[in-house]
Amino acid sequence: ITRQAPAERGYHIFYALCASGEKNRQQYYLKSPSDYNYLSRNEHYWLPEMDDRENFESVCRALTVLGVEASEQTSLFSTLSAVLNLGNVAMKDLDGEAAGFMPEDEALLATVCNLLKIDV
């Protein structure tokens, strides 16, 4: 997840999720692929031969055919968004053995907790 080969995108579901539409962008706190560390390590955010939004819709249809309930799909996409957001969290060395989060990442961590339904 954290690295892609040159001229290659990472897991396509992340790009599809980012392109899934305004409703999902709000529900899952999504941004452009270029805003995520895991997706912006190369410049292949958009591939002209690939329709990421259609890919997302195909994934949803396939999950439905497989019997995955809408609530389970919501949990799946929330988890994927949480993974993307966690990739943007910076860590700092506290004492050579322990690490902590940067204060500016508190809002991002709150978003991740919200996506994963973790009370803080």
Side-chain angles (χ1 to χ4, degrees), residues 22-30 74 78 114-115:
E22 187 58 33
K23 178 183 173 206
N24 287 338
R25 287 178 70 84
Q26 291 177 10
Q27 181 175 357
Y28 303 119
Y29 306 95
L30 295 167
T74 297
S78 290
N114 189 34
L115 286 163

Side-chain angles (χ1 to χ4, degrees), residues 6-55:
E8 183 178 308
R9 296 197 318 173
Y11 291 90
H12 293 282
I13 189 61
F14 291 129
Y15 299 92
L17 184 60
C18 288
S20 65
E22 187 58 33
K23 178 183 173 206
N24 287 338
R25 287 178 70 84
Q26 291 177 10
Q27 181 175 357
Y28 303 119
Y29 306 95
L30 295 167
K31 300 175 184 170
S32 170
S34 61
D35 292 320
Y36 294 107
N37 290 334
Y38 289 161
L39 305 182
S40 64
R41 302 201 187 239
N42 62 45
E43 297 178 6
H44 297 279
Y45 315 121
W46 311 114
L47 298 178
E49 67 277 5
M50 191 166 297
D51 184 339
D52 289 319
R53 185 169 183 152
E54 175 55 36
N55 284 348

Side-chain angles (χ1 to χ4, degrees), residues 62-111:
L63 290 170
T64 300
V65 167
L66 291 171
V68 179
E69 299 290 330
S71 63
E72 294 171 311
Q73 292 182 38
T74 297
S75 294
L76 171 67
F77 299 137
S78 290
T79 301
L80 289 170
S81 179
V83 169
L84 282 176
N85 281 287
L86 278 173
N88 286 1
V89 173
M91 303 288 287
K92 66 178 178 180
D93 183 0
L94 297 176
D95 60 10
E97 292 187 26
F101 298 111
M102 302 298 285
E104 58 269 19
D105 287 334
E106 285 185 30
L108 185 54
L109 289 167
T111 296

